[in-house]
């Protein structure tokens, strides 16, 4: 038999939680697993700005013909402006360009293939810990994966350890940085830390790959772009992966971009020719619908304003959930123990709960989170914070 030697691999550590949660009959269950925003009713509705844009597409879109290897150029321009700033000199001098990809994951996959194919021998440095799929995407593309310390077993940011590891990284290696809302920990670098990272990256001639999946969920749409804009201003060559899954709520539509910043327009064209070749072999043309929605929104001042308000509403609600959860934990004497939840940014919190505690939460209280102790704070139902805090207190004090 052809398949006789094929074994089974474990399910995805994050997506596998969706099935486990759905199968749980407990009506009081909590879904703090996959990074999806939920509103006060526990739903993930389509953003009203997205609905309006979709309606316009239904009414006016003329064709579904192929869109081309780099995707919709209007989307590419608008997403680049959102990430780099509409007044970015890189855009004016044609030193930056976007390739539309199936989600941020597609952008990472394309970046991995690009590094493997065009920059052979370069290793990649990931934060320890990082999003588990970072580990596998780059390893599967044949890159040597190394790690720099980021958050230690004390659940604290380790900037000194990070800088020391990058200082020792081989010249030319790629370093993956999370622009904001670090996944899985929620701990972000301060601006002073970013300046130190920039200094090492420049001196060691490392190539930064900035993963920007949560623009708008940390401190705001512009604020969250600070580190990325710093790097592209100060360094000639930067790779950025951008995702519209969270901030446009377009998860399953798969919208993202790989933005390349190069030394000059000619070099950008060289790199983009390689990306078109690689993308052709991966997915041929990127899916269009979600990107067309994003372009419709970002290309219309009124819709863009509405969307920005919607992102801000999601951001502030997550911040309120963070403080609400810490407050609820306070009634169990755990405010100090979980004070870090208020310092973290974005959807995720590295709670500091052990794998054992996560398991008990799931088995005894139907609270679903990733085994690492990562909780999607954006998945918490605001009316049941006390119930969640009680469950956490029970597993902490056992
Ligand atoms: C997450 O980390 O939960 C999200 O980025 C969704 C995913 O694709 O894993």
């Amino acid at each position: 038999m052809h398949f006789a030697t094929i074994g089974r691999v474990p399910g995805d550590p994050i997506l596998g939680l969706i099935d486990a949660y759905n199968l749980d009959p407990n009506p009081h269950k909590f879904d703090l697993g996959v990074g999806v925003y939920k509103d006060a009713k526990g739903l993930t509705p389509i953003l009203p700005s997205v609905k309006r844009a979709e309606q316009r597409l239904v009414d006016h879109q003329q064709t579904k013909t192929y869109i081309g290897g780099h995707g919709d150029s209007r989307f590419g321009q608008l997403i680049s402006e959102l990430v780099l700033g509409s007044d970015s000199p890189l855009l004016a001098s044609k030193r930056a360009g976007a390739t539309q990809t199936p989600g941020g994951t597609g952008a990472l996959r394309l970046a991995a293939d690009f590094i493997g194919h065009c920059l052979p021998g370069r290793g990649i440095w990931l934060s320890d810990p990082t999003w588990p799929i970072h580990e596998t995407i780059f390893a599967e593309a044949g890159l040597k994966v190394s790690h720099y310390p980021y958050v230690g077993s004390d659940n604290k940011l380790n900037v000194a350890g990070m800088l020391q590891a990058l200082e020792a990284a081989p010249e030319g290696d790629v370093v993956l940085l999370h622009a904001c809302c670090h996944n899985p920990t929620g701990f972000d670098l301060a601006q002073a830390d970013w300046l130190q990272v920039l200094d090492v990256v420049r001196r060691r001639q490392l190539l930064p790959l900035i993963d920007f999946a949560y623009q708008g969920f940390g401190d705001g749409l512009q604020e969250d772009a600070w580190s990325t804009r710093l790097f592209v201003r100060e360094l000639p060559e930067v790779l950025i992966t951008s995702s519209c899954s969270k901030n446009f709520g377009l998860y399953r539509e798969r919208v993202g971009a790989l933005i390349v910043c190069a030394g000059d327009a000619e070099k950008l064209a060289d790199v983009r020719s390689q990306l078109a070749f690689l993308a052709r072999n991966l997915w041929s043309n990127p899916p269009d619908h979600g990107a067309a929605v994003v372009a419709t929104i970002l290309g219309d001042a009124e819709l863009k304003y509405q969307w920005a308000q919607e992102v801000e509403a999601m951001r502030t609600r997550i911040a309120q959930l963070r403080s609400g959860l810490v407050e609820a934990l306070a009634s169990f004497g755990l405010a100090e123990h979980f004070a870090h939840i208020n310092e973290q940014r974005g959807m995720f919190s590295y709670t500091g709960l052990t794998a054992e505690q996560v398991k008990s939460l799931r088995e005894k209280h139907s609270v679903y989170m990733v085994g690492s102790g990562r909780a999607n704070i954006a998945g918490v139902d605001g009316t049941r914070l006390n119930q969640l805090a009680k469950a956490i207190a029970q597993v902490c004090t056992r």
Side-chain angles (χ1 to χ4, degrees), residues 14-29:
I14 298 174
L15 297 183
L17 288 171
I18 299 176
D19 295 336
Y21 173 82
N22 286 339
L23 286 173
D24 189 334
N26 184 347
H28 306 298
K29 57 191 176 179

PDB file of all heavy atoms in Angstrom, residues 14-29:
ATOM      1  N   ILE A  14      -3.206  25.343  18.243  1.00  0.00           N
ATOM      2  CA  ILE A  14      -4.164  26.452  18.391  1.00  0.00           C
ATOM      3  C   ILE A  14      -5.494  26.099  17.720  1.00  0.00           C
ATOM      4  O   ILE A  14      -6.549  26.113  18.355  1.00  0.00           O
ATOM      5  CB  ILE A  14      -3.579  27.759  17.812  1.00  0.00           C
ATOM      6  CG1 ILE A  14      -2.311  28.145  18.597  1.00  0.00           C
ATOM      7  CG2 ILE A  14      -4.609  28.885  17.878  1.00  0.00           C
ATOM      8  CD1 ILE A  14      -1.554  29.321  18.054  1.00  0.00           C
ATOM      9  N   LEU A  15      -5.446  25.733  16.436  1.00  0.00           N
ATOM     10  CA  LEU A  15      -6.694  25.461  15.720  1.00  0.00           C
ATOM     11  C   LEU A  15      -7.418  24.239  16.289  1.00  0.00           C
ATOM     12  O   LEU A  15      -8.651  24.155  16.249  1.00  0.00           O
ATOM     13  CB  LEU A  15      -6.428  25.264  14.216  1.00  0.00           C
ATOM     14  CG  LEU A  15      -5.847  26.484  13.486  1.00  0.00           C
ATOM     15  CD1 LEU A  15      -5.699  26.200  11.989  1.00  0.00           C
ATOM     16  CD2 LEU A  15      -6.714  27.731  13.679  1.00  0.00           C
ATOM     17  N   GLY A  16      -6.648  23.290  16.858  1.00  0.00           N
ATOM     18  CA  GLY A  16      -7.242  22.095  17.453  1.00  0.00           C
ATOM     19  C   GLY A  16      -8.204  22.453  18.584  1.00  0.00           C
ATOM     20  O   GLY A  16      -9.152  21.711  18.873  1.00  0.00           O
ATOM     21  N   LEU A  17      -7.961  23.604  19.230  1.00  0.00           N
ATOM     22  CA  LEU A  17      -8.821  24.020  20.346  1.00  0.00           C
ATOM     23  C   LEU A  17     -10.225  24.377  19.874  1.00  0.00           C
ATOM     24  O   LEU A  17     -11.183  24.294  20.640  1.00  0.00           O
ATOM     25  CB  LEU A  17      -8.210  25.235  21.062  1.00  0.00           C
ATOM     26  CG  LEU A  17      -6.957  24.968  21.901  1.00  0.00           C
ATOM     27  CD1 LEU A  17      -6.344  26.281  22.355  1.00  0.00           C
ATOM     28  CD2 LEU A  17      -7.300  24.101  23.106  1.00  0.00           C
ATOM     29  N   ILE A  18     -10.349  24.790  18.612  1.00  0.00           N
ATOM     30  CA  ILE A  18     -11.676  25.168  18.086  1.00  0.00           C
ATOM     31  C   ILE A  18     -12.598  23.951  18.164  1.00  0.00           C
ATOM     32  O   ILE A  18     -13.721  24.036  18.666  1.00  0.00           O
ATOM     33  CB  ILE A  18     -11.587  25.686  16.630  1.00  0.00           C
ATOM     34  CG1 ILE A  18     -10.709  26.939  16.555  1.00  0.00           C
ATOM     35  CG2 ILE A  18     -12.975  25.972  16.061  1.00  0.00           C
ATOM     36  CD1 ILE A  18     -10.488  27.471  15.140  1.00  0.00           C
ATOM     37  N   ASP A  19     -12.090  22.812  17.696  1.00  0.00           N
ATOM     38  CA  ASP A  19     -12.916  21.595  17.692  1.00  0.00           C
ATOM     39  C   ASP A  19     -13.227  21.160  19.111  1.00  0.00           C
ATOM     40  O   ASP A  19     -14.371  20.830  19.433  1.00  0.00           O
ATOM     41  CB  ASP A  19     -12.182  20.448  16.974  1.00  0.00           C
ATOM     42  CG  ASP A  19     -11.979  20.759  15.508  1.00  0.00           C
ATOM     43  OD1 ASP A  19     -12.763  21.565  14.967  1.00  0.00           O
ATOM     44  OD2 ASP A  19     -11.025  20.215  14.918  1.00  0.00           O
ATOM     45  N   ALA A  20     -12.201  21.167  19.967  1.00  0.00           N
ATOM     46  CA  ALA A  20     -12.405  20.708  21.354  1.00  0.00           C
ATOM     47  C   ALA A  20     -13.451  21.587  22.034  1.00  0.00           C
ATOM     48  O   ALA A  20     -14.343  21.087  22.731  1.00  0.00           O
ATOM     49  CB  ALA A  20     -11.079  20.764  22.110  1.00  0.00           C
ATOM     50  N   TYR A  21     -13.375  22.887  21.827  1.00  0.00           N
ATOM     51  CA  TYR A  21     -14.336  23.816  22.442  1.00  0.00           C
ATOM     52  C   TYR A  21     -15.740  23.551  21.901  1.00  0.00           C
ATOM     53  O   TYR A  21     -16.708  23.466  22.662  1.00  0.00           O
ATOM     54  CB  TYR A  21     -13.898  25.257  22.154  1.00  0.00           C
ATOM     55  CG  TYR A  21     -14.910  26.290  22.591  1.00  0.00           C
ATOM     56  CD1 TYR A  21     -14.974  26.720  23.913  1.00  0.00           C
ATOM     57  CD2 TYR A  21     -15.821  26.827  21.673  1.00  0.00           C
ATOM     58  CE1 TYR A  21     -15.914  27.648  24.323  1.00  0.00           C
ATOM     59  CE2 TYR A  21     -16.768  27.760  22.077  1.00  0.00           C
ATOM     60  CZ  TYR A  21     -16.808  28.165  23.400  1.00  0.00           C
ATOM     61  OH  TYR A  21     -17.748  29.077  23.799  1.00  0.00           O
ATOM     62  N   ASN A  22     -15.856  23.405  20.580  1.00  0.00           N
ATOM     63  CA  ASN A  22     -17.180  23.193  19.978  1.00  0.00           C
ATOM     64  C   ASN A  22     -17.837  21.904  20.466  1.00  0.00           C
ATOM     65  O   ASN A  22     -19.055  21.826  20.579  1.00  0.00           O
ATOM     66  CB  ASN A  22     -17.082  23.173  18.445  1.00  0.00           C
ATOM     67  CG  ASN A  22     -16.870  24.580  17.899  1.00  0.00           C
ATOM     68  OD1 ASN A  22     -17.165  25.565  18.575  1.00  0.00           O
ATOM     69  ND2 ASN A  22     -16.338  24.678  16.695  1.00  0.00           N
ATOM     70  N   LEU A  23     -17.021  20.897  20.756  1.00  0.00           N
ATOM     71  CA  LEU A  23     -17.570  19.609  21.191  1.00  0.00           C
ATOM     72  C   LEU A  23     -17.992  19.616  22.661  1.00  0.00           C
ATOM     73  O   LEU A  23     -18.728  18.737  23.104  1.00  0.00           O
ATOM     74  CB  LEU A  23     -16.527  18.499  20.979  1.00  0.00           C
ATOM     75  CG  LEU A  23     -16.318  18.072  19.521  1.00  0.00           C
ATOM     76  CD1 LEU A  23     -15.144  17.106  19.410  1.00  0.00           C
ATOM     77  CD2 LEU A  23     -17.592  17.427  18.955  1.00  0.00           C
ATOM     78  N   ASP A  24     -17.532  20.604  23.428  1.00  0.00           N
ATOM     79  CA  ASP A  24     -17.821  20.642  24.868  1.00  0.00           C
ATOM     80  C   ASP A  24     -19.279  21.075  25.092  1.00  0.00           C
ATOM     81  O   ASP A  24     -19.673  22.178  24.710  1.00  0.00           O
ATOM     82  CB  ASP A  24     -16.853  21.634  25.534  1.00  0.00           C
ATOM     83  CG  ASP A  24     -16.938  21.583  27.053  1.00  0.00           C
ATOM     84  OD1 ASP A  24     -18.000  21.205  27.583  1.00  0.00           O
ATOM     85  OD2 ASP A  24     -15.942  21.929  27.706  1.00  0.00           O
ATOM     86  N   PRO A  25     -20.097  20.208  25.729  1.00  0.00           N
ATOM     87  CA  PRO A  25     -21.519  20.558  25.896  1.00  0.00           C
ATOM     88  C   PRO A  25     -21.779  21.566  27.031  1.00  0.00           C
ATOM     89  O   PRO A  25     -22.903  22.047  27.169  1.00  0.00           O
ATOM     90  CB  PRO A  25     -22.169  19.212  26.229  1.00  0.00           C
ATOM     91  CG  PRO A  25     -21.076  18.387  26.822  1.00  0.00           C
ATOM     92  CD  PRO A  25     -19.776  18.878  26.273  1.00  0.00           C
ATOM     93  N   ASN A  26     -20.772  21.900  27.834  1.00  0.00           N
ATOM     94  CA  ASN A  26     -20.968  22.814  28.965  1.00  0.00           C
ATOM     95  C   ASN A  26     -21.412  24.201  28.465  1.00  0.00           C
ATOM     96  O   ASN A  26     -20.677  24.865  27.740  1.00  0.00           O
ATOM     97  CB  ASN A  26     -19.638  22.925  29.743  1.00  0.00           C
ATOM     98  CG  ASN A  26     -19.781  23.789  30.983  1.00  0.00           C
ATOM     99  OD1 ASN A  26     -20.781  24.497  31.155  1.00  0.00           O
ATOM    100  ND2 ASN A  26     -18.770  23.730  31.846  1.00  0.00           N
ATOM    101  N   PRO A  27     -22.605  24.672  28.857  1.00  0.00           N
ATOM    102  CA  PRO A  27     -23.066  25.974  28.359  1.00  0.00           C
ATOM    103  C   PRO A  27     -22.273  27.144  28.946  1.00  0.00           C
ATOM    104  O   PRO A  27     -22.353  28.271  28.451  1.00  0.00           O
ATOM    105  CB  PRO A  27     -24.537  26.039  28.820  1.00  0.00           C
ATOM    106  CG  PRO A  27     -24.645  25.064  29.952  1.00  0.00           C
ATOM    107  CD  PRO A  27     -23.577  24.023  29.760  1.00  0.00           C
ATOM    108  N   HIS A  28     -21.491  26.894  29.995  1.00  0.00           N
ATOM    109  CA  HIS A  28     -20.722  27.971  30.640  1.00  0.00           C
ATOM    110  C   HIS A  28     -19.249  27.955  30.221  1.00  0.00           C
ATOM    111  O   HIS A  28     -18.389  28.465  30.939  1.00  0.00           O
ATOM    112  CB  HIS A  28     -20.844  27.856  32.162  1.00  0.00           C
ATOM    113  CG  HIS A  28     -22.267  27.826  32.618  1.00  0.00           C
ATOM    114  ND1 HIS A  28     -23.128  28.885  32.397  1.00  0.00           N
ATOM    115  CD2 HIS A  28     -22.998  26.866  33.224  1.00  0.00           C
ATOM    116  CE1 HIS A  28     -24.328  28.578  32.874  1.00  0.00           C
ATOM    117  NE2 HIS A  28     -24.283  27.353  33.370  1.00  0.00           N
ATOM    118  N   LYS A  29     -18.966  27.363  29.082  1.00  0.00           N
ATOM    119  CA  LYS A  29     -17.568  27.233  28.653  1.00  0.00           C
ATOM    120  C   LYS A  29     -16.981  28.577  28.209  1.00  0.00           C
ATOM    121  O   LYS A  29     -17.729  29.511  27.874  1.00  0.00           O
ATOM    122  CB  LYS A  29     -17.461  26.202  27.524  1.00  0.00           C
ATOM    123  CG  LYS A  29     -18.328  26.521  26.308  1.00  0.00           C
ATOM    124  CD  LYS A  29     -18.380  25.320  25.362  1.00  0.00           C
ATOM    125  CE  LYS A  29     -19.310  25.584  24.188  1.00  0.00           C
ATOM    126  NZ  LYS A  29     -19.360  24.461  23.253  1.00  0.00           N
TER     127      LYS A  29
END
